[in-house]
Amino acid sequence: MDHAHRNRTPHSYVEDVSPGHGRARPRASFSSDAPAVELDGSWSFRLAAGLHDLTPGFEDPAFDADAWPRVTVPSCWQLDGAPEPARFGAPAYTNITYPIPVDPPRVPDENPTGEYRREFDAEAGFADGGTAVLRFEGVDSCFAVWLNGVLLGDGKGSRLPTEFDVTGVLRPGRNVLAVRVHQWSAGTYLEDQDMWWLSGIFRSVRLLARPAGGIADFFVHADYDHRSGLGTLRVDVDGDVRLTVPELGLVDADPAGPHTVPVTPWSDEQPRLYQGELATATERAPIRIGFRRVAVEGGVLTGNGRRLLFRGVNRHEWHPLTGRTLSRETMLDDVLLMKRHHINAVRTSHYPPDPAFLDLCDEYGLWVIDECDLETHGFSKNAWRGNPSDDPAWRAALLDRAERMVERDKNHPSVVMWSLGNEAGTGANLEAMAGWIRDRDPDRLIHYEGDWDNCAYTDVYSVMYADYPMVAAVAFGQEPLTGDPANDARRRAMPFLLCEYGHAMGNGPGGLREYQEMFEAHPRLAGGFVWEWIDHGIARRDARGSLYYAYGGDFGEPVHDGNFIADGLLFPDRTPSPGLLEYAKVIEPVRIEAGQAEGGMVVRNLHHTRDTGYLRWMWLLEVDGDPVAEGEWAVPPTGPGAQRRVDWPDALAKAADTAGPGERWLSVRAELALDEPWADAGHTVSWAQIRLDTDSAARTSPSGTRSGTRSGPPSAKGARAVMSSRGNGDTITLGAARFDAVTGTLTRLGDLPVDGPRVDLWRAPIDNDRFSPLLAAWRQAGVDRLRHTVLDLETDGDGLTVRTRISPAGSDLALLADYRWSVGTGNRVSLTVDTAPTRPWPVPLPRLGVAMSIPAEFDRVTWFGLGPGEAYRDSEAAVRVGRYERAVDAMQTPYVRPQENGNRRHVRWARLTRPGPSGDDAGGLEITGSPWFDLTVKPWPTGVLEAAAHTVDLTPDGRLHLNIDLGHHGLGSGSCGHPVQPRHHLAAVPARFTLGFGPLGEEAGDGVG
């Protein structure tokens, strides 16, 4: 049926491309002393199936909604009651694909529609001769509003405010507000962001009095000249308004000024805000003024005259229980976590955030790229046919979204760029948006990533997920040409930033350090924004009541993108992931390096604004992980952008000279000397470890024996090697070790039952494996289904040699592995493994090492190596050499979708023990390396980890499963970004590694078979 004859005229606003009807003009978000009524709280609610299922007369004040259930406003109705299943619909996740047919501006008849009612009281004279305004901060995706039965209008633009003038409709005393919200509308086609599809009145609702003669709107302009140190202030405001800023000596001044005064500029590191007030005879509004200038100078992004380098994140609004509805406390948690992890910039992907978040960015200091509520990515599936970005019929809607963003957020000093949107293709409407913004606010820069071939309306050259060669080429002005010489010249004069990079999905991202090194070395590079801040897992409980986090497909969606929604630096509960710890270390604003031949250390201050005088410097000297001396280091302040060398303090030099043999590690920590708004005194801002000894072969085990073993056959002196028959079921005994005489597998070490070790190449795929070609290549090569064949087993008086062939079914691809066992000192045995491919392998190896298992009660792990957290070869900046202890459960990283995790790098020795009655170790296993190994310890095997869809699917099987590895393939960012760098590939080439095994305590036995 033709759209014009579908008999839905009363609700045609749903499929109307216009931004809305009956709305007040956009204006700044601000508070004042004018009366206001908060309308958040409990509302009556009914979820209808679509326009065919609406409640007649629900907007009538006399309508009886007592039987309706109640919901909280603000909220997303699909998450009502989380973590229990919602009463109203279900979430759905897609990244690019629209969850409705692409038939703009039409939407399906199955269109969940929420009907809300709320009664409230208004005092007589509420507006006092002025006007009364009803303000919605955010409603998804389309809504119509009635007050006391009178239709006020309708609106779209989910993450932008909408106001209605209710002056002639508001009554003294009881009032009835009715709102009808539609999940799908024409606006849906403009809101195809990579996130959950959720609906409802998800931000606050207020009734505001606008006094006669009050402050309708204002625009603060606060420029800063770094050459003179002067700030220039003017405030655009209509009416008889006076400006007072006591710290600037302004009292009842003309807001228009301009007022030029000495000021301290605003920056992320020193977010100086001057408190002021705008006042009329009937209204007073507080303002916070931050003087700053962000500009492009000679192709370099600058802030207050200095080069500006973004250490950024992309931030969606998310909470695992409430979705996109966030409390101020949650927003503050985000800001404080960012500050404590050295993040200095936020891109508000992909819509303007709750305005309270920008207030916090102003106060605590974060540079912000404020992004418009626009994405049409799903049109790319159809070669961008019908894309609203280039359709004149949609121009008003796109311009409206740009205007509402700019007007709402124009007074935030933290906002330094406006972004037109994300992944909305190209088109004249985007250029029109940029033109309107530039006319309204010429002092801020304009960003848009999706139109590389037309740089006429943006101020920065922005790209997603550029690989290392691309970034390096741009750094030298050698980026790909567009074919338009004028456009190429414009683009080469622009700063370059990665608006998305380092896809933080699952275990990763790896390779962040290499990006940061390029950013810091080349002035044209303005840094980047890691994708993204938080995993969007939805809290749910399984049948046993265990909490887990759901992702795409868990709610029966016919179209979804799985766990691609879990790609954040924070886990859903806001626990920092290893990826965030790695990023924080990589982007540290102060670098500590060894002083090379001249000794001491070098301090490099990468701060934009601050010197290092706010830091206190501490040192710690350890030998083989044991502290031997520590103290404070008097380090003179180093200015922003400068560096200095500092001599060792006398106490450190003396301690280093007298320390005993072993690995001597100096740890230097720069911490807050005093409390800061974002962290307490003592918070670590920067740290480094410096190796002081040169004898890297000197390694001692906790029992005092050398951990290294020789590559040749060791002598059996000091132990007995007893050989028994090799009949079926018989064993071979070598010192304290017993082996299966047929397979050569170690079965017992002293009194400790053991299964393994044997060569293992497979890891439970990480997301960066799964969402890249790598996993398919591994499976094609059969690396996930290897079989072991014993070719030969030899014994002699000194040891045991087992020769094996490892190969997948259906392939002649193979790895030969020889195990050479020998007796070590005491009750220890040594294993040297030699591996070699029979021909070149077409893929790198996921891992190379041995796997084994022991009983689960030995669940206390102590090790000397890198820690305390997990690390991999291209993600190990955040760990340091030391002696650590963890329970096995604490060594697991709970990625939303289970995958390879928990690896500890460069372990010199490790002990797995069980606690005795007094809490001391009561037996166990010691493993040593020559010189070191990677270690994971899990209460389930790799196959269980690989098969699990959620953390609640992981059930311990009564054994501890150990991987003792020579190496891993790197992590990379292949789920959406750069692959693993060649230097971090684990090639299938001949390799040798040597390990030592020894039973501890009561497990040691007598070493005799």
PDB file of all heavy atoms in Angstrom, residues 473-500:
ATOM      1  N   ALA A 473      53.598   7.251   6.929  1.00  0.00           N
ATOM      2  CA  ALA A 473      53.552   8.006   5.678  1.00  0.00           C
ATOM      3  C   ALA A 473      52.949   9.388   5.890  1.00  0.00           C
ATOM      4  O   ALA A 473      53.453  10.394   5.382  1.00  0.00           O
ATOM      5  CB  ALA A 473      52.752   7.226   4.631  1.00  0.00           C
ATOM      6  N   VAL A 474      51.855   9.441   6.656  1.00  0.00           N
ATOM      7  CA  VAL A 474      51.220  10.734   6.916  1.00  0.00           C
ATOM      8  C   VAL A 474      52.162  11.645   7.698  1.00  0.00           C
ATOM      9  O   VAL A 474      52.219  12.856   7.463  1.00  0.00           O
ATOM     10  CB  VAL A 474      49.900  10.525   7.677  1.00  0.00           C
ATOM     11  CG1 VAL A 474      49.320  11.872   8.128  1.00  0.00           C
ATOM     12  CG2 VAL A 474      48.887   9.798   6.807  1.00  0.00           C
ATOM     13  N   ALA A 475      52.910  11.083   8.635  1.00  0.00           N
ATOM     14  CA  ALA A 475      53.829  11.891   9.432  1.00  0.00           C
ATOM     15  C   ALA A 475      54.794  12.664   8.553  1.00  0.00           C
ATOM     16  O   ALA A 475      55.195  13.786   8.890  1.00  0.00           O
ATOM     17  CB  ALA A 475      54.593  10.991  10.405  1.00  0.00           C
ATOM     18  N   PHE A 476      55.156  12.093   7.407  1.00  0.00           N
ATOM     19  CA  PHE A 476      56.092  12.743   6.488  1.00  0.00           C
ATOM     20  C   PHE A 476      55.394  13.385   5.294  1.00  0.00           C
ATOM     21  O   PHE A 476      56.040  13.716   4.298  1.00  0.00           O
ATOM     22  CB  PHE A 476      57.130  11.730   6.009  1.00  0.00           C
ATOM     23  CG  PHE A 476      58.069  11.274   7.085  1.00  0.00           C
ATOM     24  CD1 PHE A 476      57.884  10.045   7.710  1.00  0.00           C
ATOM     25  CD2 PHE A 476      59.116  12.075   7.496  1.00  0.00           C
ATOM     26  CE1 PHE A 476      58.743   9.621   8.705  1.00  0.00           C
ATOM     27  CE2 PHE A 476      59.984  11.652   8.496  1.00  0.00           C
ATOM     28  CZ  PHE A 476      59.798  10.428   9.114  1.00  0.00           C
ATOM     29  N   GLY A 477      54.078  13.558   5.388  1.00  0.00           N
ATOM     30  CA  GLY A 477      53.340  14.209   4.305  1.00  0.00           C
ATOM     31  C   GLY A 477      53.239  13.382   3.052  1.00  0.00           C
ATOM     32  O   GLY A 477      53.134  13.932   1.950  1.00  0.00           O
ATOM     33  N   GLN A 478      53.225  12.066   3.191  1.00  0.00           N
ATOM     34  CA  GLN A 478      53.212  11.179   2.035  1.00  0.00           C
ATOM     35  C   GLN A 478      51.949  10.321   1.999  1.00  0.00           C
ATOM     36  O   GLN A 478      51.964   9.201   1.514  1.00  0.00           O
ATOM     37  CB  GLN A 478      54.455  10.288   2.062  1.00  0.00           C
ATOM     38  CG  GLN A 478      55.750  11.067   1.969  1.00  0.00           C
ATOM     39  CD  GLN A 478      56.977  10.193   2.149  1.00  0.00           C
ATOM     40  OE1 GLN A 478      56.865   9.008   2.438  1.00  0.00           O
ATOM     41  NE2 GLN A 478      58.153  10.772   1.978  1.00  0.00           N
ATOM     42  N   GLU A 479      50.845  10.873   2.519  1.00  0.00           N
ATOM     43  CA  GLU A 479      49.605  10.115   2.517  1.00  0.00           C
ATOM     44  C   GLU A 479      49.083   9.934   1.091  1.00  0.00           C
ATOM     45  O   GLU A 479      49.481  10.646   0.167  1.00  0.00           O
ATOM     46  CB  GLU A 479      48.537  10.823   3.357  1.00  0.00           C
ATOM     47  CG  GLU A 479      48.164  12.201   2.868  1.00  0.00           C
ATOM     48  CD  GLU A 479      48.922  13.279   3.635  1.00  0.00           C
ATOM     49  OE1 GLU A 479      50.085  13.044   3.986  1.00  0.00           O
ATOM     50  OE2 GLU A 479      48.351  14.351   3.850  1.00  0.00           O
ATOM     51  N   PRO A 480      48.179   8.966   0.876  1.00  0.00           N
ATOM     52  CA  PRO A 480      47.646   8.741  -0.473  1.00  0.00           C
ATOM     53  C   PRO A 480      46.987   9.993  -1.028  1.00  0.00           C
ATOM     54  O   PRO A 480      46.347  10.762  -0.308  1.00  0.00           O
ATOM     55  CB  PRO A 480      46.618   7.626  -0.247  1.00  0.00           C
ATOM     56  CG  PRO A 480      47.053   6.949   1.009  1.00  0.00           C
ATOM     57  CD  PRO A 480      47.664   8.013   1.871  1.00  0.00           C
ATOM     58  N   LEU A 481      47.154  10.189  -2.322  1.00  0.00           N
ATOM     59  CA  LEU A 481      46.576  11.352  -2.986  1.00  0.00           C
ATOM     60  C   LEU A 481      45.123  11.089  -3.342  1.00  0.00           C
ATOM     61  O   LEU A 481      44.705   9.952  -3.572  1.00  0.00           O
ATOM     62  CB  LEU A 481      47.377  11.691  -4.242  1.00  0.00           C
ATOM     63  CG  LEU A 481      48.860  12.006  -4.030  1.00  0.00           C
ATOM     64  CD1 LEU A 481      49.546  12.271  -5.368  1.00  0.00           C
ATOM     65  CD2 LEU A 481      49.023  13.201  -3.107  1.00  0.00           C
ATOM     66  N   THR A 482      44.343  12.169  -3.415  1.00  0.00           N
ATOM     67  CA  THR A 482      42.925  12.052  -3.739  1.00  0.00           C
ATOM     68  C   THR A 482      42.636  12.291  -5.212  1.00  0.00           C
ATOM     69  O   THR A 482      41.514  12.047  -5.662  1.00  0.00           O
ATOM     70  CB  THR A 482      42.110  13.062  -2.914  1.00  0.00           C
ATOM     71  OG1 THR A 482      42.464  14.392  -3.328  1.00  0.00           O
ATOM     72  CG2 THR A 482      42.379  12.894  -1.431  1.00  0.00           C
ATOM     73  N   GLY A 483      43.620  12.797  -5.944  1.00  0.00           N
ATOM     74  CA  GLY A 483      43.388  13.156  -7.340  1.00  0.00           C
ATOM     75  C   GLY A 483      43.022  14.603  -7.540  1.00  0.00           C
ATOM     76  O   GLY A 483      42.929  15.080  -8.672  1.00  0.00           O
ATOM     77  N   ASP A 484      42.786  15.322  -6.442  1.00  0.00           N
ATOM     78  CA  ASP A 484      42.469  16.750  -6.498  1.00  0.00           C
ATOM     79  C   ASP A 484      43.640  17.495  -5.856  1.00  0.00           C
ATOM     80  O   ASP A 484      43.788  17.484  -4.634  1.00  0.00           O
ATOM     81  CB  ASP A 484      41.177  17.020  -5.742  1.00  0.00           C
ATOM     82  CG  ASP A 484      40.786  18.494  -5.722  1.00  0.00           C
ATOM     83  OD1 ASP A 484      41.624  19.335  -6.094  1.00  0.00           O
ATOM     84  OD2 ASP A 484      39.652  18.799  -5.318  1.00  0.00           O
ATOM     85  N   PRO A 485      44.497  18.145  -6.661  1.00  0.00           N
ATOM     86  CA  PRO A 485      45.684  18.799  -6.090  1.00  0.00           C
ATOM     87  C   PRO A 485      45.353  19.813  -5.001  1.00  0.00           C
ATOM     88  O   PRO A 485      46.068  19.905  -3.997  1.00  0.00           O
ATOM     89  CB  PRO A 485      46.340  19.464  -7.311  1.00  0.00           C
ATOM     90  CG  PRO A 485      45.867  18.645  -8.475  1.00  0.00           C
ATOM     91  CD  PRO A 485      44.467  18.236  -8.130  1.00  0.00           C
ATOM     92  N   ALA A 486      44.275  20.576  -5.185  1.00  0.00           N
ATOM     93  CA  ALA A 486      43.927  21.576  -4.172  1.00  0.00           C
ATOM     94  C   ALA A 486      43.532  20.899  -2.865  1.00  0.00           C
ATOM     95  O   ALA A 486      43.909  21.339  -1.773  1.00  0.00           O
ATOM     96  CB  ALA A 486      42.792  22.459  -4.681  1.00  0.00           C
ATOM     97  N   ASN A 487      42.758  19.814  -2.982  1.00  0.00           N
ATOM     98  CA  ASN A 487      42.357  19.091  -1.778  1.00  0.00           C
ATOM     99  C   ASN A 487      43.557  18.435  -1.104  1.00  0.00           C
ATOM    100  O   ASN A 487      43.680  18.440   0.126  1.00  0.00           O
ATOM    101  CB  ASN A 487      41.315  18.027  -2.132  1.00  0.00           C
ATOM    102  CG  ASN A 487      40.732  17.344  -0.907  1.00  0.00           C
ATOM    103  OD1 ASN A 487      40.067  17.975  -0.100  1.00  0.00           O
ATOM    104  ND2 ASN A 487      40.995  16.058  -0.775  1.00  0.00           N
ATOM    105  N   ASP A 488      44.466  17.878  -1.901  1.00  0.00           N
ATOM    106  CA  ASP A 488      45.665  17.258  -1.333  1.00  0.00           C
ATOM    107  C   ASP A 488      46.497  18.288  -0.585  1.00  0.00           C
ATOM    108  O   ASP A 488      47.043  18.006   0.486  1.00  0.00           O
ATOM    109  CB  ASP A 488      46.497  16.611  -2.433  1.00  0.00           C
ATOM    110  CG  ASP A 488      45.799  15.399  -3.035  1.00  0.00           C
ATOM    111  OD1 ASP A 488      44.952  14.798  -2.341  1.00  0.00           O
ATOM    112  OD2 ASP A 488      46.094  15.051  -4.189  1.00  0.00           O
ATOM    113  N   ALA A 489      46.602  19.500  -1.127  1.00  0.00           N
ATOM    114  CA  ALA A 489      47.371  20.549  -0.459  1.00  0.00           C
ATOM    115  C   ALA A 489      46.716  20.941   0.858  1.00  0.00           C
ATOM    116  O   ALA A 489      47.397  21.144   1.869  1.00  0.00           O
ATOM    117  CB  ALA A 489      47.505  21.761  -1.374  1.00  0.00           C
ATOM    118  N   ARG A 490      45.387  21.043   0.867  1.00  0.00           N
ATOM    119  CA  ARG A 490      44.673  21.364   2.115  1.00  0.00           C
ATOM    120  C   ARG A 490      44.917  20.286   3.161  1.00  0.00           C
ATOM    121  O   ARG A 490      45.184  20.568   4.332  1.00  0.00           O
ATOM    122  CB  ARG A 490      43.173  21.498   1.859  1.00  0.00           C
ATOM    123  CG  ARG A 490      42.741  22.810   1.243  1.00  0.00           C
ATOM    124  CD  ARG A 490      41.227  22.990   1.320  1.00  0.00           C
ATOM    125  NE  ARG A 490      40.495  21.924   0.661  1.00  0.00           N
ATOM    126  CZ  ARG A 490      40.111  21.953  -0.617  1.00  0.00           C
ATOM    127  NH1 ARG A 490      40.401  22.998  -1.365  1.00  0.00           N
ATOM    128  NH2 ARG A 490      39.442  20.939  -1.131  1.00  0.00           N
ATOM    129  N   ARG A 491      44.848  19.037   2.729  1.00  0.00           N
ATOM    130  CA  ARG A 491      44.972  17.944   3.673  1.00  0.00           C
ATOM    131  C   ARG A 491      46.380  17.845   4.248  1.00  0.00           C
ATOM    132  O   ARG A 491      46.559  17.564   5.436  1.00  0.00           O
ATOM    133  CB  ARG A 491      44.573  16.625   3.000  1.00  0.00           C
ATOM    134  CG  ARG A 491      44.301  15.511   3.982  1.00  0.00           C
ATOM    135  CD  ARG A 491      43.683  14.309   3.326  1.00  0.00           C
ATOM    136  NE  ARG A 491      44.583  13.687   2.384  1.00  0.00           N
ATOM    137  CZ  ARG A 491      44.305  12.581   1.687  1.00  0.00           C
ATOM    138  NH1 ARG A 491      43.114  12.011   1.819  1.00  0.00           N
ATOM    139  NH2 ARG A 491      45.174  12.060   0.847  1.00  0.00           N
ATOM    140  N   ARG A 492      47.390  18.098   3.414  1.00  0.00           N
ATOM    141  CA  ARG A 492      48.766  18.036   3.917  1.00  0.00           C
ATOM    142  C   ARG A 492      49.059  19.144   4.922  1.00  0.00           C
ATOM    143  O   ARG A 492      50.013  19.041   5.698  1.00  0.00           O
ATOM    144  CB  ARG A 492      49.755  18.103   2.755  1.00  0.00           C
ATOM    145  CG  ARG A 492      49.948  16.775   2.040  1.00  0.00           C
ATOM    146  CD  ARG A 492      51.161  16.815   1.127  1.00  0.00           C
ATOM    147  NE  ARG A 492      50.999  17.769   0.048  1.00  0.00           N
ATOM    148  CZ  ARG A 492      50.467  17.479  -1.132  1.00  0.00           C
ATOM    149  NH1 ARG A 492      50.062  16.243  -1.384  1.00  0.00           N
ATOM    150  NH2 ARG A 492      50.346  18.397  -2.064  1.00  0.00           N
ATOM    151  N   ALA A 493      48.229  20.187   4.928  1.00  0.00           N
ATOM    152  CA  ALA A 493      48.407  21.279   5.890  1.00  0.00           C
ATOM    153  C   ALA A 493      47.623  21.050   7.181  1.00  0.00           C
ATOM    154  O   ALA A 493      47.624  21.911   8.061  1.00  0.00           O
ATOM    155  CB  ALA A 493      47.984  22.597   5.257  1.00  0.00           C
ATOM    156  N   MET A 494      46.985  19.884   7.290  1.00  0.00           N
ATOM    157  CA  MET A 494      46.163  19.599   8.464  1.00  0.00           C
ATOM    158  C   MET A 494      46.889  18.697   9.445  1.00  0.00           C
ATOM    159  O   MET A 494      47.668  17.827   9.053  1.00  0.00           O
ATOM    160  CB  MET A 494      44.871  18.887   8.036  1.00  0.00           C
ATOM    161  CG  MET A 494      43.884  19.728   7.285  1.00  0.00           C
ATOM    162  SD  MET A 494      42.440  18.716   6.845  1.00  0.00           S
ATOM    163  CE  MET A 494      41.372  19.989   6.167  1.00  0.00           C
ATOM    164  N   PRO A 495      46.610  18.839  10.745  1.00  0.00           N
ATOM    165  CA  PRO A 495      47.054  17.822  11.703  1.00  0.00           C
ATOM    166  C   PRO A 495      46.332  16.508  11.424  1.00  0.00           C
ATOM    167  O   PRO A 495      45.209  16.499  10.910  1.00  0.00           O
ATOM    168  CB  PRO A 495      46.644  18.389  13.066  1.00  0.00           C
ATOM    169  CG  PRO A 495      46.139  19.758  12.819  1.00  0.00           C
ATOM    170  CD  PRO A 495      45.829  19.897  11.372  1.00  0.00           C
ATOM    171  N   PHE A 496      46.991  15.432  11.779  1.00  0.00           N
ATOM    172  CA  PHE A 496      46.440  14.100  11.551  1.00  0.00           C
ATOM    173  C   PHE A 496      46.132  13.459  12.893  1.00  0.00           C
ATOM    174  O   PHE A 496      46.966  13.471  13.813  1.00  0.00           O
ATOM    175  CB  PHE A 496      47.447  13.244  10.794  1.00  0.00           C
ATOM    176  CG  PHE A 496      47.026  11.811  10.581  1.00  0.00           C
ATOM    177  CD1 PHE A 496      46.168  11.471   9.555  1.00  0.00           C
ATOM    178  CD2 PHE A 496      47.516  10.799  11.400  1.00  0.00           C
ATOM    179  CE1 PHE A 496      45.793  10.148   9.351  1.00  0.00           C
ATOM    180  CE2 PHE A 496      47.142   9.474  11.210  1.00  0.00           C
ATOM    181  CZ  PHE A 496      46.284   9.152  10.175  1.00  0.00           C
ATOM    182  N   LEU A 497      44.946  12.905  13.027  1.00  0.00           N
ATOM    183  CA  LEU A 497      44.633  12.159  14.244  1.00  0.00           C
ATOM    184  C   LEU A 497      43.879  10.886  13.891  1.00  0.00           C
ATOM    185  O   LEU A 497      43.173  10.812  12.878  1.00  0.00           O
ATOM    186  CB  LEU A 497      43.860  13.005  15.255  1.00  0.00           C
ATOM    187  CG  LEU A 497      42.458  13.521  14.943  1.00  0.00           C
ATOM    188  CD1 LEU A 497      41.405  12.468  15.254  1.00  0.00           C
ATOM    189  CD2 LEU A 497      42.167  14.763  15.754  1.00  0.00           C
ATOM    190  N   LEU A 498      44.074   9.895  14.745  1.00  0.00           N
ATOM    191  CA  LEU A 498      43.344   8.639  14.623  1.00  0.00           C
ATOM    192  C   LEU A 498      42.135   8.721  15.548  1.00  0.00           C
ATOM    193  O   LEU A 498      42.256   8.543  16.757  1.00  0.00           O
ATOM    194  CB  LEU A 498      44.239   7.461  15.016  1.00  0.00           C
ATOM    195  CG  LEU A 498      45.342   7.092  14.024  1.00  0.00           C
ATOM    196  CD1 LEU A 498      46.240   6.017  14.604  1.00  0.00           C
ATOM    197  CD2 LEU A 498      44.756   6.612  12.710  1.00  0.00           C
ATOM    198  N   CYS A 499      40.967   9.004  14.974  1.00  0.00           N
ATOM    199  CA  CYS A 499      39.781   9.140  15.817  1.00  0.00           C
ATOM    200  C   CYS A 499      39.370   7.805  16.414  1.00  0.00           C
ATOM    201  O   CYS A 499      38.660   7.771  17.421  1.00  0.00           O
ATOM    202  CB  CYS A 499      38.633   9.779  15.054  1.00  0.00           C
ATOM    203  SG  CYS A 499      37.993   8.793  13.695  1.00  0.00           S
ATOM    204  N   GLU A 500      39.829   6.713  15.812  1.00  0.00           N
ATOM    205  CA  GLU A 500      39.681   5.384  16.412  1.00  0.00           C
ATOM    206  C   GLU A 500      40.926   4.579  16.063  1.00  0.00           C
ATOM    207  O   GLU A 500      41.379   4.586  14.917  1.00  0.00           O
ATOM    208  CB  GLU A 500      38.439   4.648  15.892  1.00  0.00           C
ATOM    209  CG  GLU A 500      37.123   5.279  16.282  1.00  0.00           C
ATOM    210  CD  GLU A 500      35.912   4.531  15.739  1.00  0.00           C
ATOM    211  OE1 GLU A 500      36.058   3.324  15.426  1.00  0.00           O
ATOM    212  OE2 GLU A 500      34.838   5.139  15.632  1.00  0.00           O
TER     213      GLU A 500
END
